[in-house]
Amino acid sequence: MLKKICAVLLSCATVLVVTSGCSKENGNETSVNVLADSTVSADCIGTKEQADVSTSENDEDILAEGTSKNSFADQEPETDENARSQSERMTDNDVSAVENPSAAKTEKMTKAVNAPEAKDTFTVTFKNYNGTVLKTETVEKGKSAVAPEPPQRDGYIFAKWDTDYENVRVDIVVTAVYQKITEPTLIVKNAEGKPGDKVSVAVSVMNNPGLLGLMLNVVYDDSVLKLTKVESGSTMDGYTFTSAKNLKSGCNALWNINDVPSKLSDGEVMILHFEIPKKAKSGAYTVHLSSYDGAFDEEYNPVAFDIIDGAVIIK
């Protein structure tokens, strides 16, 4: 109420001393609620209805002003439960960003700088079964590596590479896997040389079944290699050997004996001697054998051989 009177006092020009109660103006009784000895203007005291309207309007103005100035005070205080819920939603990074925005920005920049770069090339390492590195190759993303010629292993046959090296997208190690030979097998071993060299390719037998007769057909790339001699191996000592007369691709070598040796052994059956022309291009040139059912045991039953091809590798 005091605020209402103050609003009235500030708008009046003529001052009048009244006491708490009523005053008269122009014969009309006006009710004014003021403190004793309060000062008001006679001009601003009108009828009761005017005073009520005036004070009501001032009440609304004061209420509006008070609301705008004290809006934070008038809000309901946040409960502990709401505060705790909001706190739980804030992560450590949120808290850090609020407490130290510069540090948070620096951290983001550091993460961006230290982010690993996307690689465009990858390393493919080929290893032998014993861990020996055979080849290391750098491959573009999504491309395939080129496997080396798998080394031959006595008593075993190369089975596969243990890892796919096509569509390379990571650094990988590829290892040769071998399978133990358990069946009668003829193995053509690899030989290496340079243009102009002479090389010898050995053919050996594993799990010798005992033979009365053997005929082998030799196939190779005679546009690159020149076969100069076919020689019988030590395992075939005692056999009658007939070498091919025409030393071209597809030629035959023949062995026969009257009685199967009492002691069978594994080892060299044949040695092929090649010349590498001086103009030969580098690469691996396959030497292939087939028996064409030309192997017989002591009871004249056909013997089936597993055959592992070899190659002349020109550096």
Side-chain angles (χ1 to χ4, degrees):
M1 181 59 73
L2 181 57
K3 291 182 179 180
K4 296 178 181 179
I5 300 304
C6 290
V8 174
L9 291 176
L10 292 175
S11 63
C12 297
T14 305
V15 177
L16 176 65
V17 178
V18 298
T19 59
S20 178
C22 300
S23 65
K24 292 183 179 180
E25 183 177 7
N26 299 326
N28 296 322
E29 185 179 284
T30 303
S31 174
V32 181
N33 295 322
V34 296
L35 297 175
D37 299 328
S38 295
T39 303
V40 297
S41 169
D43 294 338
C44 68
I45 299 176
T47 64
K48 183 178 185 299
E49 289 78 10
Q50 291 174 333
D52 288 342
V53 171
S54 175
T55 56
S56 175
E57 291 175 350
N58 288 334
D59 284 347
E60 293 176 359
D61 294 339
I62 293 170
L63 180 59
E65 181 181 1
T67 300
S68 62
K69 291 183 178 180
N70 300 287
S71 59
F72 291 105
D74 293 338
Q75 292 178 359
E76 291 184 11
E78 189 177 32
T79 65
D80 291 343
E81 182 178 355
N82 291 336
R84 182 168 56 255
S85 176
Q86 183 178 3
S87 175
E88 290 173 351
R89 290 196 300 269
M90 294 181 67
T91 64
D92 293 339
N93 291 335
D94 294 331
V95 174
S96 175
V98 172
E99 294 178 350
N100 193 346
S102 298
K105 183 176 181 181
T106 302
E107 182 181 359
K108 289 182 179 180
M109 293 176 64
T110 301
K111 289 181 178 178
V113 171
N114 295 334
E117 295 183 6
K119 292 179 66 175
D120 295 326
T121 60
F122 300 94
T123 301
V124 179
T125 304
F126 291 90
K127 290 187 177 183
N128 202 358
Y129 72 97
N130 57 4
T132 302
V133 175
L134 303 174
K135 179 183 178 182
T136 299
E137 182 178 354
T138 299
V139 181
E140 293 182 4
K141 183 178 180 180
K143 301 293 185 179
S144 301
V146 178
E149 190 71 24
Q152 292 178 327
R153 181 183 178 187
D154 289 343
Y156 292 80
I157 181 174
F158 173 78
K160 63 179 182 178
W161 297 104
D162 71 344
T163 303
D164 183 15
Y165 47 87
E166 296 183 352
N167 191 22
V168 177
R169 295 182 180 275
V170 294
D171 296 335
I172 57 174
V173 175
V174 185
T175 303
V177 177
Y178 292 83
Q179 181 179 347
K180 189 173 180 60
I181 296 173
T182 59
E183 300 296 329
T185 304
L186 292 170
I187 304 168
V188 182
K189 295 190 176 181
N190 295 337
E192 295 183 1
K194 297 178 295 183
D197 287 351
K198 295 180 179 181
V199 297
S200 298
V201 175
V203 178
S204 61
V205 61
M206 288 285 299
N207 302 314
N208 190 342
L211 299 168
L212 278 178
L214 175 65
M215 185 178 69
L216 295 177
N217 178 261
V218 182
V219 178
Y220 61 94
D221 188 346
D222 54 12
S223 68
V224 177
L225 302 174
K226 182 180 180 180
L227 181 62
T228 60
K229 183 179 180 181
V230 178
E231 184 180 358
S232 182
S234 58
T235 299
M236 306 303 288
D237 286 349
Y239 286 79
T240 300
F241 174 63
T242 303
S243 178
K245 293 181 180 180
N246 184 6
L247 299 179
K248 294 289 185 180
S249 178
C251 64
N252 297 317
L254 178 65
W255 294 263
N256 58 72
I257 197 170
N258 291 329
D259 295 306
V260 174
S262 58
K263 185 177 180 180
L264 300 178
S265 63
D266 293 342
E268 288 185 351
V269 173
M270 177 173 62
I271 303 171
L272 304 172
H273 298 275
F274 290 96
E275 286 184 0
I276 302 174
K278 292 182 178 180
K279 295 182 179 181
K281 295 181 179 180
S282 61
Y285 297 90
T286 301
V287 178
H288 171 73
L289 291 181
S290 61
S291 63
Y292 290 119
D293 297 327
F296 302 90
D297 63 16
E298 59 185 350
E299 296 180 355
Y300 293 94
N301 295 317
V303 175
F305 279 98
D306 289 336
I307 297 177
I308 302 174
D309 292 339
V312 174
I313 302 170
I314 303 176
K315 299 291 187 179

